[in-house]
């Protein structure tokens, strides 16, 4: 009864003696599994004691680029029953202040560089206590008020098994573990609460679906996707807690750095986002990829051209695809490569232990196979709720546990999921619904179009009509008229593109999602 069922205790039962747990790709510094567990236990003891005094149920903020210290901080805090919230280091101080005001963390892990981005005195109760999350950090003499310790100091604290067994500390699987904020592509970013059960389920799903388990060989993961996002957090949790894999950490993505790490450390498994695949494919040379056998693409749709191009250029590497959202603790459906080669464009099969239905967004009725509607999913990894936001929770999760994904999808007769578009991004033309992703896919088949984004353009008469922002290929003189005619010939009249503008680049976020909000602003600023 003493033993908690937090994600760390539950999953990290194998000690993996002799295996390297973490590698800092920049310095080559290695941490073995026994060293990692000792650091996590030491950090947990220090976090529980004064002056940090982190208690179960309190929130701990991590504002940091990827580093080998990030997992130590996250796992130590979670093992105490504290809830991890993370912030994107690129966010502005105002954006971070907003998140801090919402999450009310008791402590924050951050780097010296990022310290000025933290608001002062905004903690849940009392001042925000800060732990510096970097190697060789010293307590700054100019800021004695909030910085209390460094990660190296607290990791070196002797573990205190009694601290974790004391009153109020036992963590069950239904306790919240993470409070991650959604990317905010379609609306304001919201705090998503996931439990220890969700994380445990997700780690097990990823190991099974991507065949990352097995005692005969150890995988080497490269973590270049951001650990502050559910994608990166689940990636390192799977490696460290689930597989006992070596996790090589890159603080920030750059192609040459990534390639160096892949080759130098024998990386076998690489979770990434579509823009990285684009860069690997666009490179004039066939890049040396060493032991790399699997890449996972997630976070945004992957085009058929990309999959085909990549498979041709790098036949030794399987492309896996994951579909999911922050609210599903990462992955709700996924492919493995054999399936993908048979059905391009699918986001794959539903995760194990997942129920799904496709619902007509207007009538709420469940639709049959091959009909497009909103995807609802139910499974152990679905979020508990939006943080302190009953209204948003009620709009997104039904009382019996269905998560409304906000994605327009269909499921074919064999159970493969196809993502058509995001419900919130549909263009409403005279009451008809036009999925911009469909028009984008069509426009990308034009030989002179390099990239494209379709947005709703407001119009008094028809409501909205599709407008296309087009990036022409080098040397192309494609005209607006030609673009419109190209589409008009191939779609129903209500889907016609009625306005075109040429740009040199389509704005996208880090995971490759088109920033439609920015384009809509650009288009309508001239009205
Ligand atoms: P917000 O909800 O605040 O607008 P967001 O939805 O962009 O933010 P995330 O949780 O990072 O934040 O993104 C989830 C969405 O990403 C999914 O709902 C889906 O639309 C899209 N997505 C993720 N993976 C895939 C995929 N493999 N194929 C197509 N779309 C995907």
């Amino acid at each position: 009864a003493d033993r908690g069922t937090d994600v760390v205790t539950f999953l990290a039962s194998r000690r993996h003696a002799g295996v390297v747990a973490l590698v800092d790709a920049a310095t080559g510094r290695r941490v073995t599994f026994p060293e990692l567990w000792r650091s996590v236990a030491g950090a947990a003891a220090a976090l529980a004691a004064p002056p940090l005094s982190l208690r179960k149920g309190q929130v701990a903020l991590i504002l940091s680029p990827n580093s080998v210290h990030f997992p130590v901080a996250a796992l130590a805090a979670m093992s105490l029953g504290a809830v991890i919230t993370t912030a994107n280091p690129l966010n502005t101080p105002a954006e971070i202040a907003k998140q801090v005001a919402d999450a009310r963390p008791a402590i924050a892990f951050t780097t010296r560089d990022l310290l000025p981005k933290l608001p002062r005195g905004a903690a849940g109760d009392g001042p925000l206590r800060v732990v510096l999350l970097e190697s060789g950090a010293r307590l700054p003499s100019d800021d004695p008020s909030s910085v209390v310790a460094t990660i190296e100091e607290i990791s070196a604290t002797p573990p205190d098994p009694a601290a974790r067994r004391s009153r109020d500390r036992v963590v069950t699987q239904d306790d919240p573990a993470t409070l991650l904020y959604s990317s905010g592509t379609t609306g304001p970013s919201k705090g998503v609460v996931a439990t220890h059960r969700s994380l445990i389920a997700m780690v097990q799903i990823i190991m099974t679906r991507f065949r990352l388990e097995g005692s005969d060989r150890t995988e080497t993961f490269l973590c270049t996707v951001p650990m502050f996002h559910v994608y990166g957090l689940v990636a390192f949790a799977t490696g460290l807690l689930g597989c006992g894999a070596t996790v090589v950490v890159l603080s920030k993505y750059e192609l040459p750095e990534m390639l160096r790490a892949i080759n130098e450390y024998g990386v076998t498994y690489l979770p990434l986002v579509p823009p990285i695949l684009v860069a690997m494919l666009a490179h004039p040379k066939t890049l040396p990829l060493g032991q790399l056998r699997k890449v996972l693409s997630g976070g945004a749709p992957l085009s058929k051209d990309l999959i085909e191009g990549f498979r041709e250029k790098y036949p030794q590497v399987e492309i896996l695809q994951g579909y999911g959202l922050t609210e599903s603790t990462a992955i709700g459906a996924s492919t493995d490569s054999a399936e993908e080669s048979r059905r391009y464009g699918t986001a794959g099969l539903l995760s194990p232990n997942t129920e799904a239905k496709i619902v007509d967004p207007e009538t709420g009725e469940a639709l049959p196979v091959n009909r497009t509607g909103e995807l609802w999913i139910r499974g152990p990894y679905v979020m508990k709720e939006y943080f302190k936001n009953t209204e948003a929770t009620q709009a997104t999760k039904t009382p019996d546990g269905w998560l409304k994904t906000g994605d327009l999808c269909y499921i074919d007769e064999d159970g493969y999921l196809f993502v058509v578009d995001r419900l919130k991004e549909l263009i409403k033309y005279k009451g008809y619904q036009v999925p911009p992703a469909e028009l984008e896919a069509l426009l990308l088949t034009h030989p002179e179009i390099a990239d494209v984004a379709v947005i709703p353009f407001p119009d008094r008469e028809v409501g909205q009509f599709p407008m296309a922002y087009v990036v022409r290929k080098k040397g192309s003189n494609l005209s607006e008229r030609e673009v419109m005619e190209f589409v008009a010939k191939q779609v129903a009249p209500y889907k016609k593109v009625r306005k075109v503008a040429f740009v040199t680049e389509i704005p996208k976020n880090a995971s490759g999602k088109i920033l439609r909000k920015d384009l809509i602003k650009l288009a309508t600023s001239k009205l």
Side-chain angles (χ1 to χ4, degrees), residues 20-91:
V20 173
L22 286 161
V23 180
D24 181 338
T27 63
R29 205 183 122 227
R30 290 168 156 84
V31 180
T32 65
F33 271 97
E35 285 166 346
L36 171 66
W37 300 137
R38 214 198 148 283
S39 293
V40 169
L47 288 170
L52 288 158
S53 311
L54 183 63
R55 295 193 307 273
K56 184 184 165 187
Q58 284 186 326
V59 174
L61 167 71
I62 307 181
L63 170 64
S64 167
N66 285 4
S67 81
V68 292
H69 304 299
F70 195 122
V72 175
L75 300 179
M78 284 196 285
S79 75
L80 294 172
V83 183
I84 297 297
T85 193
T86 56
N88 184 343
L90 293 178
N91 282 356

Side-chain angles (χ1 to χ4, degrees), residues 182-190 229-230 297-302 321-327 347 386 405-407 419 421-422 424 509 511 513:
S182 63
S183 313
T185 346
T186 54
S189 154
K190 291 186 287 281
H229 191 270
V230 67
S297 173
L302 197 58
Q321 225 198 126
Y323 156 82
L325 48 165
T326 310
E327 288 84 341
Y386 287 120
T405 64
D407 287 315
V419 182
D421 214 327
R422 305 187 74 172
K424 285 184 199 137
N509 75 0
S511 51
K513 287 194 187 95

